[in-house]
């Protein structure tokens, strides 16, 4: 019912930048926030950044000051601008949107397929 497509990952040198996008489509009635998680090899998935429906944001301490999350409500898209990338940022990045498909339904989290970000030293 709700499909998410991520884009923007890739290989970058340390100190470089990437911008991830996560577009939601399908039978969406409303979206109430979203965010990004990441999972490095051998590690648990961790929160990177979230944005609420009101536009409030929250970041992991490890990315504060370097990453910026934003949303375009008209496009049902969440972005993650990543600057000053470090090798420890290497991971698969997953986005989610919190959405409902019916007026009287409940919000559920829908996830993207993941996009690889690799930062070389």
């Amino acid at each position: 019912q709700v499909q998410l497509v991520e884009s923007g990952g890739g290989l970058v040198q340390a100190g470089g930048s990437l911008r991830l996008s996560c577009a939601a489509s399908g039978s969406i009635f409303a979206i109430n926030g979203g965010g990004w998680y990441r999972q490095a090899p051998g590690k648990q998935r961790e929160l990177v950044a979230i944005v609420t429906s009101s536009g409030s944001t929250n970041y992991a301490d490890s990315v504060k000051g370097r990453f910026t999350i934003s949303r375009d409500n008209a496009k049902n898209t969440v972005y993650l601008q990543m600057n000053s990338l470090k090798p420890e940022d290497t991971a698969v990045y997953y986005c989610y949107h919190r959405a409902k498909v019916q007026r009287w339904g409940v919000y559920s989290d829908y996830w993207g397929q993941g996009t690889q970000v690799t930062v070389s030293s």
Side-chain angles (χ1 to χ4, degrees), residues 101-121:
V101 297
Q102 295 178 330
R103 179 181 180 87
W104 307 114
V106 298
Y107 284 99
S108 299
D109 290 342
Y110 296 88
W111 291 88
Q113 77 282 5
T115 186
Q116 177 70 47
V117 171
T118 302
V119 184
S120 63
S121 57

Side-chain angles (χ1 to χ4, degrees), residues 66-85:
R66 300 188 298 122
F67 291 11
T68 302
I69 189 170
S70 61
R71 56 185 290 177
D72 184 331
N73 294 331
K75 296 181 179 180
N76 288 339
T77 300
V78 174
Y79 303 95
L80 185 68
Q81 178 66 45
M82 305 185 293
N83 299 328
S84 303
L85 283 161

Side-chain angles (χ1 to χ4, degrees), residues 14-121:
S17 298
L18 285 174
R19 188 191 193 207
L20 305 183
S21 300
C22 177
S25 62
S27 303
I28 300 170
F29 179 81
I31 292 179
N32 183 24
W36 294 88
Y37 281 71
R38 67 185 180 187
Q39 187 166 20
K43 295 187 178 181
Q44 291 186 332
R45 188 175 295 193
E46 64 175 357
L47 173 69
V48 177
I50 60 173
V51 58
T52 69
S53 58
S54 63
S56 298
T57 59
N58 195 22
Y59 298 91
D61 288 341
S62 59
V63 306
K64 282 181 181 177
R66 300 188 298 122
F67 291 11
T68 302
I69 189 170
S70 61
R71 56 185 290 177
D72 184 331
N73 294 331
K75 296 181 179 180
N76 288 339
T77 300
V78 174
Y79 303 95
L80 185 68
Q81 178 66 45
M82 305 185 293
N83 299 328
S84 303
L85 283 161
K86 304 175 181 179
E88 51 263 44
D89 293 319
T90 296
V92 177
Y93 284 69
Y94 298 91
C95 71
Y96 77 95
H97 285 259
R98 185 156 294 163
K100 62 178 179 179
V101 297
Q102 295 178 330
R103 179 181 180 87
W104 307 114
V106 298
Y107 284 99
S108 299
D109 290 342
Y110 296 88
W111 291 88
Q113 77 282 5
T115 186
Q116 177 70 47
V117 171
T118 302
V119 184
S120 63
S121 57

